[in-house]
Amino acid sequence: MAEMLSRSFREKVGVDEAEFEVCRSFFVPGELKKKQFLLQEGEVCNRLAFVEKGALFSYSTTAKGAQNVIQFAFEGWWIADLYSFFTQEPSKLTIEALEDCELLFIDRKSHQQLLEKLPKYETYTRLLYQNAYIALQRRLESTIGLTAEEKYRRLLELYPALLHRIPLQLIASYLGVTPETLSRIRKQIAS
């Protein structure tokens, strides 16, 4: 159950079979059912999760109980609250399964051991953090500089197939618009 992880490592850092087996030995497989939580607000994030199968999303919750969607994660993607993982402070995020999921987990101690044991893992994680930072910067620029319709069109361009797996109210939250606004934008684009 590590085909997607193997593909990710090979694409990013070109590990051979022996190196990948060293990496894989530090991961623990797990499953989440739809609507189960990987992490809840107030908990400390002690592990990183790689998605072999399924979909998850992370969100913060307002004082009024509304969800602000931060991130989605699908096959071949990682998800965690990195701030909580590195600082060991309680998370302000919740991570929930959108679909039944097959995951591979690596805890803090194993992550640190693997960084020290295998230089290619360190390179791999550096590339992941670099790409995550770039994605965050693009998301901020999009949030600040684009109209709601432009944000939706960009999402369609980047992830057309994935949008069929996400409920519209979560897409609206991710884009920072109301479900009614998203519905209106979708109708305008379709006509």
Side-chain angles (χ1 to χ4, degrees):
M1 175 184 132
E3 292 113 35
M4 295 299 292
L5 184 64
S6 174
R7 184 180 309 156
S8 181
F9 273 93
R10 290 181 204 303
E11 287 173 359
K12 289 188 174 35
V13 292
V15 294
D16 61 32
E17 193 60 38
E19 291 168 320
F20 179 70
E21 283 306 311
V22 170
C23 288
R24 193 183 60 70
S25 71
F26 283 83
F27 286 81
V28 176
E31 295 181 353
L32 280 181
K33 296 293 182 197
K34 183 177 181 175
K35 297 195 180 231
Q36 281 189 314
F37 298 107
L38 174 64
L39 179 71
Q40 290 187 281
E41 181 180 356
E43 297 175 346
V44 174
C45 183
N46 287 313
R47 59 189 180 168
L48 306 173
F50 182 84
V51 184
E52 279 287 323
K53 182 179 179 190
L56 302 100
F57 72 110
S58 67
Y59 59 90
S60 62
T61 306
T62 67
K64 294 182 180 181
Q67 292 179 350
N68 294 316
V69 175
I70 307 297
Q71 175 190 3
F72 296 102
F74 301 93
E75 292 85 0
W77 295 19
W78 289 85
I79 192 161
D81 179 347
L82 289 178
Y83 182 85
S84 177
F85 184 78
F86 289 120
T87 65
Q88 289 296 276
E89 293 179 16
S91 180
K92 294 184 180 180
L93 301 179
T94 297
I95 302 174
E96 183 178 336
L98 276 169
E99 303 170 353
D100 290 350
C101 296
E102 294 176 8
L103 306 167
L104 293 168
F105 299 108
I106 187 165
D107 63 35
R108 283 177 50 83
K109 182 179 177 185
S110 297
H111 175 69
Q112 190 59 43
Q113 289 172 340
L114 189 51
L115 286 170
E116 293 167 6
K117 183 172 185 138
L118 191 65
K120 283 189 179 179
Y121 181 72
E122 186 171 36
T123 301
Y124 176 79
T125 58
R126 180 183 50 78
L127 291 171
L128 289 177
Y129 300 148
Q130 174 183 303
N131 291 340
Y133 180 79
I134 291 167
L136 175 64
Q137 187 172 346
R138 283 189 179 150
R139 173 121 194 250
L140 286 172
E141 290 168 354
S142 171
T143 300
I144 294 167
L146 299 179
T147 66
E149 182 177 337
E150 290 168 332
K151 287 188 251 184
Y152 182 70
R153 285 184 184 275
R154 177 178 277 181
L155 195 63
L156 282 175
E157 287 172 22
L158 294 173
Y159 309 110
L162 301 181
L163 293 179
H164 301 291
R165 297 170 65 182
I166 305 169
L168 291 178
Q169 74 271 13
L170 295 182
I171 294 172
S173 175
Y174 180 79
L175 295 174
V177 300
T178 64
E180 295 78 20
T181 298
L182 179 58
S183 180
R184 188 180 74 254
I185 291 167
R186 288 168 47 92
K187 285 179 187 171
Q188 288 172 346
I189 290 173
S191 57

